[in-house]
């Protein structure tokens, strides 16, 4: 038994275009056939109505010139009755003598024609047949006081047969024309799709390039696709840039602690005295903590440098509740460092649209930077206030040594540290703050503290109204 499955038919642009064209063409052919048959039948009706009227007038002229009592001349009867297929009917009646001749008694028209007027054409039903009749009234020359009514009728068979013949002739020609058009369409579609060959060749010739593929030779209809691919390439380039930058930053920042670890291990091995080993272990512990902190900050910086937050990742955060809780978690650490950490803010709700984890990283880095560089015995104050435009202002201010005014613009640079500062650090804290602020469409401002020290203020825009729920 054959267990192989039939492979699904792959989508084909050529097949889809032809299908899109064939279905409307088929519908148009059907509508054209109906229209052609209607036009042909109308034409046949006009021709037969004219012939039927002429027959009625000719017959009335022949009969009106005769003298007779109750019958018509043999020539006239031959003209009336001659129909090889037996589909002709006639009546000749006199106003005085009644029915004179006829092979069927035909109903009179709805309105009797006047003497000498044009024939009256009308439809009538006899047995199971629909007939088309022409009636004409003429005066009797042999009896001026009398008049003859001549009615000639025929079935609709000949009319429909002629309409079908015209339709068949038209259908054959139209089918041939459509076949030629479809052949041209097939050729044109294949020829038109060749405009994609330069783009295909350009993509096939690439190795690891992520440069844009859009160009002047790309058709307008394909441009939305190429622009989407270019946008994807741009995102990939950004991700690869972040990846390379993270590797470079990690190598730069971890080289010093790893070298120190190696030196202290070698020193302990070379001099295995207890006091030497203990001292080496203390240095190793400090270096390990430094490496761990640097690694954590590098990861935080990489997250902060990711593309802007999507709306679905953001929630409405009440900073008046979120910030005090986060500050409270850092109080014990500040006490151990000999720093007075405090909070000033309103109890009124103050909402911003953001990501809680990112904002917690922002606040932690601000507090950590202030506690680390302000020094023991200093004061660090976290302030939260509403802004006039409906946004929020979050600031962390210390009364430490501060930063020279000319160096304030460089505080957001990666690995930048003020010269003469002996505190350990990676120079990434405020860079992380800057990137997180940018992701939240906020502005980070660096200015001297009052009366001294450093104040870092993050100005958040007003939270937009929408379906987001407060967190």
């Amino acid at each position: 038994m054959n267990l192989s499955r039939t492979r699904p038919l792959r989508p084909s642009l050529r097949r889809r275009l032809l299908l899109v064209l064939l279905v409307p063409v088929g519908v148009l052919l059907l509508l054209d056939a109906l229209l052609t048959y209607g036009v042909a039948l109308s034409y046949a009706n006009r021709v037969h109505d004219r012939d039927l009227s002429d027959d009625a007038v000719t017959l009335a002229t022949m009969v009106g010139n005769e003298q007779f009592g109750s019958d018509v001349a043999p020539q006239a009867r031959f003209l009336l009755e001659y129909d090889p297929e037996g589909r002709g009917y006639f009546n000749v009646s006199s106003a005085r003598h009644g029915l004179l001749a006829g092979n069927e008694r035909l109903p009179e028209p709805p309105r009797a024609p006047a003497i000498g007027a044009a024939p009256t054409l009308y439809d009538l039903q006899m047995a199971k047949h629909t007939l088309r009749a022409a009636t004409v009234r003429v005066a009797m020359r042999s009896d001026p006081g009398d008049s003859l009514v001549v009615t000639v009728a025929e079935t609709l068979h000949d009319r429909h047969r002629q309409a079908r013949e015209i339709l068949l002739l038209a259908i054959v020609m139209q089918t041939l024309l459509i076949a030629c058009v479809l052949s041209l369409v097939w050729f044109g579609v294949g020829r038109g799709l060749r405009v994609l060959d330069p783009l295909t060749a350009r993509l096939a010739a690439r190795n690891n390039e992520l440069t844009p593929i859009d160009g002047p030779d790309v058709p307008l209809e394909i441009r939305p696709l190429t622009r989407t691919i270019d946008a994807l390439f741009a995102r990939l380039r950004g991700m690869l840039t972040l990846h390379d930058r993270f590797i470079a930053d990690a190598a730069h920042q971890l080289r010093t602690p790893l070298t120190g670890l190696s030196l202290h291990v070698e020193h302990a091995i070379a001099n295995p005295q207890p006091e030497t080993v203990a001292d080496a272990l203390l240095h190793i512990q400090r270096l390990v903590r430094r490496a761990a902190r640097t690694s954590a900050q590098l990861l935080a910086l990489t997250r902060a440098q990711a593309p802007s937050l999507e709306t679905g990742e953001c929630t409405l955060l009440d900073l008046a509740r979120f910030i005090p809780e986060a500050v409270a978690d850092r109080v014990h650490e500040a006490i151990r460092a000999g720093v007075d950490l405090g909070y000033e803010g309103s109890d009124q709700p103050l909402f911003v649209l953001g990501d809680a984890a990112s904002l917690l990283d922002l606040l932690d880095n601000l507090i950590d930077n202030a506690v680390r560089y302000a020094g023991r015995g200093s004061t660090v104050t976290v302030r939260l206030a509403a802004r006039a435009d409906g946004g929020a202002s979050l600031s962390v201010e210390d009364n430490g040594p501060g930063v020279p005014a000319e160096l304030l613009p460089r505080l957001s640079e990666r690995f930048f540290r003020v010269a003469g500062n002996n505190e350990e650090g990676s120079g990434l804290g405020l860079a992380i703050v800057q990137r997180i602020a940018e992701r939240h469409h906020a502005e980070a401002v660096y200015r001297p503290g009052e009366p001294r020290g450093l104040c870092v203020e993050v100005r958040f825009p007003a939270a937009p109204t929408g379906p987001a729920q407060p967190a």
Side-chain angles (χ1 to χ4, degrees), residues 141-453:
R141 291 191 178 183
S142 58
D143 186 359
D146 196 5
S147 63
L148 290 178
V149 177
V150 178
T151 301
V152 179
E154 65 180 6
T155 63
L156 305 180
H157 176 78
D158 288 344
R159 302 166 184 250
H160 289 287
R161 178 177 56 80
Q162 289 182 3
R164 288 194 298 270
E165 291 175 355
I166 296 174
L167 175 63
L168 290 176
L169 291 174
I171 286 295
V172 171
M173 292 186 293
Q174 290 170 0
T175 303
L176 291 175
L177 178 62
I178 290 175
C180 294
V181 170
L182 290 179
S183 300
L184 292 175
V185 169
W186 177 275
F187 174 78
V189 168
R191 186 83 175 178
L193 291 178
R194 291 184 184 177
V195 299
L196 299 178
D197 291 345
L199 177 61
T200 304
R202 195 159 62 243
L203 289 175
R206 290 192 173 200
N207 189 9
N208 295 320
E209 295 181 43
L210 292 177
T211 54
I213 63 174
D214 197 11
D217 59 343
V218 175
L220 291 176
E221 294 77 10
I222 307 298
R223 185 154 292 177
L225 175 61
T226 57
R227 288 178 177 174
T228 303
I229 295 175
D230 288 344
L232 174 62
F233 283 176
R235 292 194 294 271
L236 289 176
R237 288 196 304 271
M239 293 176 63
L240 291 176
T241 300
L242 287 178
H243 178 267
D244 295 340
R245 182 178 295 174
F246 175 79
I247 293 177
D249 293 346
H252 177 271
Q253 289 297 306
L254 296 179
R255 181 173 63 248
T256 299
L258 290 177
T259 302
L261 286 174
S262 177
L263 291 175
H264 286 292
V265 170
E266 293 175 357
H267 182 63
I269 292 174
N271 187 9
Q273 297 297 324
E275 58 275 9
T276 304
V277 173
D279 182 68
L281 289 176
L282 288 175
H283 283 86
I284 289 173
Q285 183 184 39
R286 181 175 59 82
L287 291 171
V288 167
R289 288 176 180 173
R290 178 181 174 184
R293 172 176 168 74
T294 301
S295 299
Q297 285 200 308
L298 286 171
L299 291 173
L301 180 62
T302 302
R303 288 194 303 269
Q305 289 175 332
S308 299
L309 290 171
E310 299 292 338
T311 304
E313 299 176 2
C314 296
T315 55
L316 278 177
L317 297 174
D318 183 6
L319 294 185
R321 185 181 64 179
F322 178 77
I323 297 298
E325 294 175 355
V327 173
D329 292 338
R330 301 296 302 270
V331 169
H332 296 290
E333 180 181 343
I335 292 175
R336 287 196 302 269
V339 175
D340 180 12
L341 177 61
Y343 170 76
E344 296 179 3
S346 173
D347 294 333
Q348 296 297 323
L350 193 56
F351 291 101
V352 298
L353 189 64
D355 174 54
S358 296
L359 293 181
L360 184 59
D361 281 344
L362 179 144
L363 181 61
D364 282 343
N365 278 280
L366 285 176
I367 294 176
D368 184 77
N369 184 79
V371 169
R372 181 179 297 273
Y373 294 107
R376 299 185 68 86
S378 60
T379 300
V380 175
T381 304
V382 179
R383 293 187 180 89
L384 181 65
R387 299 179 60 204
D389 60 359
S393 172
L394 172 64
S395 63
V396 177
E397 183 176 359
D398 64 73
N399 61 353
V403 176
E406 65 273 11
L407 297 180
L408 289 176
R410 300 192 58 190
L411 290 180
S412 61
E413 296 180 8
R414 295 182 306 128
F415 308 122
F416 175 77
R417 299 184 64 202
V418 178
N421 195 315
N422 297 324
E423 290 293 330
E424 292 184 357
S426 60
L428 293 175
L430 294 182
I432 294 173
V433 170
Q434 181 71 27
R435 302 302 178 270
I436 295 176
E438 290 173 353
R439 293 183 71 201
H440 287 79
H441 307 289
E443 179 186 10
V445 179
Y446 308 92
R447 65 174 184 268
E450 295 292 342
R452 64 189 181 91

